[in-house]
């Protein structure tokens, strides 16, 4: 038997979301949606070999574009000994890009938590007023 964690998480999220009174629920959804859209539309660049190899990844670390300097590529094609060096550069550039994506995600999550905390404080304040 397999679990559909995405569905389970979505159901749990919707159940908890329904406990938030309006208009705060709309504000909460807007905060989360804005951050999701920002993350989905942002790409991160990793480089290696002093910029001779550039890799672009999305927020999941999936490679979206690779740019290899034509001189470097010519040398690799002519000299088989450079193949391992190119492979190492690809790994380095990808790691660099993924590290940047993770750092950006950490910042966005911190921002999300801060906004949710402020909204929670406002809900409590308004409830007690």
């Amino acid at each position: 038997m397999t679990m559909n964690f995405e569905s389970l998480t979505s159901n749990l999220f919707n159940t908890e979301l329904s406990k938030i009174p309006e208009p705060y629920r709309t504000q909460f959804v807007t905060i989360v949606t804005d951050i999701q859209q920002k993350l989905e539309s942002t790409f991160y660049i990793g480089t290696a070999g002093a910029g001779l190899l550039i890799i672009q990844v999305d927020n999941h670390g999936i490679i979206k574009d690779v740019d290899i300097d034509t001189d470097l590529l010519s040398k690799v094609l002519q000299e088989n000994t450079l193949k391992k060096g190119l492979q190492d550069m690809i790994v380095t550039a990808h790691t660099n890009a993924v590290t940047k994506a993770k750092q950006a995600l950490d910042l966005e999550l911190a921002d999300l938590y801060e906004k949710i905390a402020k909204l929670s404080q406002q809900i409590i304040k308004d409830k007690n007023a």
Side-chain angles (χ1 to χ4, degrees):
M1 181 176 158
T2 60
M3 296 282 295
N4 184 341
F5 289 107
E6 187 173 323
S7 175
L8 182 64
T9 303
S10 179
N11 290 338
L12 179 62
F13 179 77
N14 289 331
T15 300
E16 293 302 312
L17 186 62
S18 67
K19 295 177 184 177
I20 301 173
E22 282 296 351
Y24 308 108
R25 184 179 321 144
T26 301
Q27 291 174 12
F28 178 83
V29 170
T30 299
I31 290 168
V32 172
T33 302
D34 288 349
I35 289 177
Q36 283 177 328
Q37 288 174 347
K38 182 177 178 183
L39 288 172
E40 291 298 322
S41 65
T42 304
F43 296 95
Y44 305 91
I45 303 294
T47 62
L52 295 176
L53 188 133
I54 300 169
I55 290 181
Q56 182 183 60
V57 300
D58 65 10
N59 66 316
H60 301 288
I62 297 172
I63 296 173
K64 295 299 181 182
D65 190 32
V66 176
D67 183 25
I68 303 172
D69 180 83
T70 52
D71 290 337
L72 174 62
L73 191 55
S74 295
K75 288 179 183 178
V76 170
L77 292 173
Q78 292 171 4
E79 302 176 33
N80 196 30
T81 57
L82 291 176
K83 180 181 175 190
K84 177 66 175 143
L86 179 61
Q87 291 168 333
D88 291 343
M89 288 174 67
I90 291 169
V91 170
T92 299
H94 184 257
T95 301
N96 181 257
V98 169
T99 298
K100 290 177 183 178
K102 286 181 180 180
Q103 290 170 344
L105 180 59
D106 288 345
L107 289 174
E108 290 300 329
L109 285 175
D111 186 43
L112 174 64
Y113 293 143
E114 182 180 328
K115 288 177 180 177
I116 290 172
K118 286 180 182 178
L119 183 59
S120 298
Q121 290 170 353
Q122 186 63 47
I123 292 170
I124 292 168
K125 180 182 172 186
D126 290 350
K127 186 176 181 180
N128 293 332

